[in-house]
Amino acid sequence: MNTNDTDPNTDNLVSGQRIWASRILAGLPIAFLTLDAVIKLARLGPAVTGTAQLGYPVTAVFGIGLCEIICVLAYAIPRTAVLGAVLLTGYLGGAIATHVRVGDPVATHVLTPVYVAALIWGALLVRGRLRGLFAAPPARQVA
């Protein structure tokens, strides 16, 4: 079986347009979350101040950034992209819970992680990486 993602003669494979669309959809959250993680790893002022305002100790900034960059790397590697999406969904769920806890505005602070998660999973869906999760089980043959 041909495993080329761009072969138009097979039904199971993804077209070139869908590959590029998924790369763009995945690239946006990767870029955003990588920048956020680097700011936290460098312990820059806005990250330290923002973390303290959210009720976390200042010493947690580096650990949060390290966790975030590991999740982003898992998502950016094609073989572990689904695992990375699951990990990032958990990370973003924590961000949502934190913003709800401190009473931040819904439209800007609470829903932003939802939008990022939608891009993460949308890229996998467009690429066809979730095909096996939604497929019906094979029919049983009765002898």
Side-chain angles (χ1 to χ4, degrees), residues 2-56:
N2 188 357
T3 58
N4 183 3
D5 281 346
T6 60
D7 186 3
N9 298 324
T10 60
D11 294 332
N12 297 344
L13 302 178
V14 181
S15 72
Q17 290 175 333
R18 287 179 66 165
I19 289 172
W20 277 104
S22 71
R23 287 177 181 166
I24 292 168
L25 284 174
L28 293 171
I30 288 172
F32 173 73
L33 294 170
T34 299
L35 177 65
D36 185 53
V38 168
I39 290 170
K40 286 180 174 107
L41 290 171
R43 294 185 182 113
L44 296 181
V48 173
T49 305
T51 302
Q53 287 175 347
L54 292 172
Y56 292 104

Side-chain angles (χ1 to χ4, degrees), residues 42-69:
R43 294 185 182 113
L44 296 181
V48 173
T49 305
T51 302
Q53 287 175 347
L54 292 172
Y56 292 104
V58 175
T59 57
V61 174
F62 184 82
I64 293 170
L66 186 62
C67 177
E68 184 177 12
I69 198 72

Side-chain angles (χ1 to χ4, degrees), residues 48-95:
V48 173
T49 305
T51 302
Q53 287 175 347
L54 292 172
Y56 292 104
V58 175
T59 57
V61 174
F62 184 82
I64 293 170
L66 186 62
C67 177
E68 184 177 12
I69 198 72
I70 289 169
C71 295
V72 170
L73 287 173
Y75 178 68
I77 298 170
R79 290 187 143 214
T80 60
V82 175
L83 172 65
V86 170
L87 294 173
L88 284 171
T89 301
Y91 179 85
L92 294 169

